[in-house]
Amino acid sequence: MAVTLESPVRIGKLAIGALGTLALALGTLQAVVEPSLPLLQRDLGIGNAEGALIFVTLLITGAVVAPIAGKLGDRYGGKRVLVVLMTVVSAGGLFSSLAPNLPVLLLGQVLQGAMVGALPLSFILVRKHLPPGQTQVAVGIVSGLFTGGSLVGMLIAGPIAEGLSRHWMFAIPTIAIIATTLIVSRLMPDDPPAESDSRIDWLGVILLSCTLVALVLGFMAVTGGGLPPLAVGAVTVVVAALATGWVAVERRASSPMVDLRMLTTPAMWGSCVVTLLMSLGFGMAAYLVPQLFDVSAEGYGFGASSTDIGLFLVPATIAGVAAGAVGGIAARHFGPRAVITAGAIVTAATLIALASLHDAAWQLVLARTLIAFAVSVSAVALLASTATAVAAEDTGIATSLLVVTRVVGIALGAQIGAAILGAGTDPVSGLPAESAFATSFVIAGVIAALSLLVVRVMKKGTRA
């Protein structure tokens, strides 16, 4: 069992503000792709499948990096690992800003994906340096500011890409990340590493990473169409074999990457399943709404530019920012289950309503805003309750598993949405049928509604 070498220094608002500022810069870099995705597709000469790949590449890397970052942060200190990750993210931002083609841009997105590990590392720091009663609020603030960065990204992506170039929309947030990382390094006190004579379970790390990558890439290949049944079966067998191997290794490891006993508790597995289901619905909406705005106004769409799409998504981003603070406070006062239940109901109802109510821009704006608020409130409540429901030395790995689950869910949701649109595309006009959008929204709503069945088994209590 790990033993902390010394009591950590308590931190104040300035240090939390530094973490939040870094989260703001990271959210900005992450968000520039969504409103400019149609522009990137045209500029690079790629279709819906390749566009969805740009959207999910960062998320795939994040799914791999987050649990590793959380585990290393638990062992060696959150601040130390955070600074290393931000160096990788900065390199990725530079690659994306200089990318002349799709492969280089994808490489930049792969490196940028390390930013997903910043959230569990931030949760480690606030758990170590704050009293238990303030941890949930701090988690909400950091999460909210990460979402707040999305607001900045949504606003600057279109004007910068259209006024300067798509290269600068990556470069400017990258410069901000470099600057804010230096501020965090100076203001945030060092958190002492844990003393342990056990080794990192690298085999478990590798197997989990391979499982996640195989799952997402395999799902992309299957939803992309064209694979024979034998190939689909082979993909399924590979993912199942990797997952089985990971479980076998973790059960035998003296110091496993993930304590499987922790995963069997209703609070933990319930949180993971709810997060996955709601993230699937959110990922579909996040991909579909910009595509619907981009469809020619001569048909059922709106013919919006990247700048217009970014402006249309601003209210949703503001709602996500507000949800960060509201989620932590609401979870503290009303309990996580009540907050998550309300969020799931609003998300499912709004998605299903979008199937028929998408004739006016305000309908899409309102629906996207409600979905963003409901999903973000639920995500913060899940993260905050998990951060206090597990032992202190497991904070990083437990919260990173939720972050990974959310990332994978959003990535798979985007792929599902892209696959449905691709299947419903007219080969002559190259435009998806309106019914393809309606079908996608209904499926997304049903998936989100399934999370209500899981919420009932989640435990209310948390550990101090």
Side-chain angles (χ1 to χ4, degrees):
M1 182 177 177
V3 179
T4 303
L5 294 176
E6 58 182 274
S7 299
V9 178
R10 293 298 185 191
I11 57 175
K13 295 180 180 179
L14 192 60
I16 295 298
L19 270 182
T21 303
L22 177 58
L24 188 72
L26 291 170
T28 301
L29 180 60
Q30 188 223 11
V32 296
V33 167
E34 184 180 353
S36 60
L37 190 55
L39 180 147
L40 288 172
Q41 290 176 202
R42 289 191 292 269
D43 192 23
L44 297 172
I46 58 177
N48 281 327
E50 292 83 0
L53 183 60
I54 296 175
F55 184 80
V56 303
T57 295
L58 182 149
L59 302 178
I60 294 172
T61 304
V64 173
V65 170
I68 300 174
K71 189 67 176 180
L72 293 178
D74 285 332
R75 175 68 65 87
Y76 299 112
K79 177 184 173 182
R80 182 185 305 179
V81 180
L82 180 63
V83 171
V84 173
L85 278 191
M86 293 307 97
T87 303
V88 175
V89 172
S90 299
L94 293 177
F95 270 105
S96 295
S97 65
L98 298 173
N101 50 43
L102 179 61
V104 179
L105 178 59
L106 290 178
L107 174 60
Q109 293 298 294
V110 166
L111 296 177
Q112 284 178 218
M115 73 171 64
V116 179
L119 288 177
L121 292 171
S122 299
F123 302 154
I124 290 173
L125 291 172
V126 299
R127 177 75 185 268
K128 286 185 177 180
H129 295 298
L130 288 176
Q134 298 178 18
T135 299
Q136 291 183 335
V137 176
V139 167
I141 290 173
V142 174
S143 300
L145 285 173
F146 182 84
T147 307
S150 299
L151 170 61
V152 180
M154 294 288 183
L155 289 172
I156 70 172
I160 291 177
E162 295 169 355
L164 298 175
S165 72
R166 62 177 170 83
H167 305 283
W168 279 103
M169 75 179 186
F170 293 106
I172 293 175
T174 300
I175 294 171
I177 288 172
I178 295 172
T180 51
T181 299
L182 295 174
I183 295 173
V184 168
S185 179
R186 182 174 182 82
L187 294 181
M188 180 63 62
D190 292 325
D191 54 318
E195 184 182 72
S196 176
D197 51 7
S198 60
R199 298 180 178 180
I200 293 290
D201 176 25
W202 289 113
L203 181 57
V205 168
I206 294 171
L207 283 173
L208 179 59
S209 301
C210 291
T211 301
L212 292 170
V213 171
L215 173 64
V216 177
L217 294 182
F219 191 85
M220 289 170 59
V222 172
T223 56
L227 285 182
L230 186 60
V232 174
V235 169
T236 304
V237 169
V238 169
V239 174
L242 288 170
T244 302
W246 175 70
V247 171
V249 167
E250 296 303 274
R251 292 182 63 182
R252 291 176 173 80
S254 58
S255 180
M257 177 189 180
V258 178
D259 187 347
L260 297 180
R261 292 172 299 178
M262 178 182 66
L263 290 180
T264 61
T265 62
M268 192 66 212
W269 72 258
S271 295
C272 287
V273 174
V274 171
T275 299
L276 176 63
L277 293 172
M278 294 195 66
S279 298
L280 282 169
F282 177 78
M284 293 180 69
Y287 179 79
L288 293 167
V289 170
Q291 298 294 329
L292 186 51
F293 275 130
D294 184 64
V295 172
S296 173
E298 296 178 0
Y300 57 86
F302 303 91
S305 66
S306 293
T307 299
D308 293 333
I309 294 173
L311 292 174
F312 283 141
L313 295 176
V314 165
T317 311
I318 294 175
V321 176
V326 171
I329 296 173
R332 184 176 179 181
H333 286 84
F334 303 108
R337 290 206 304 176
V339 176
I340 298 162
T341 299
I345 292 173
V346 172
T347 301
T350 304
L351 284 167
I352 293 174
L354 267 177
S356 57
L357 300 176
H358 55 260
D359 299 323
W362 70 265
Q363 294 173 338
L364 290 178
V365 171
L366 177 60
R368 185 68 173 80
T369 301
L370 289 173
I371 293 168
F373 184 82
V375 172
S376 297
V377 164
S378 299
V380 170
L382 286 163
L383 284 168
S385 62
T386 301
T388 53
V390 300
E393 62 269 19
D394 292 326
T395 301
I397 190 61
T399 55
S400 68
L401 288 175
L402 286 191
V403 171
V404 166
T405 303
R406 188 180 188 191
V407 164
V408 170
I410 293 173
L412 296 183
Q415 285 300 309
I416 293 172
I420 297 175
L421 290 191
T425 296
D426 185 337
V428 177
S429 66
L431 297 176
E434 184 177 5
S435 60
F437 282 99
T439 300
S440 298
F441 287 129
V442 170
I443 292 174
V446 171
I447 291 173
L450 291 175
S451 63
L452 292 169
L453 300 177
V454 184
V455 174
R456 297 187 61 183
V457 303
M458 294 173 60
K459 288 186 176 180
K460 297 180 181 180
T462 59
R463 295 176 58 165

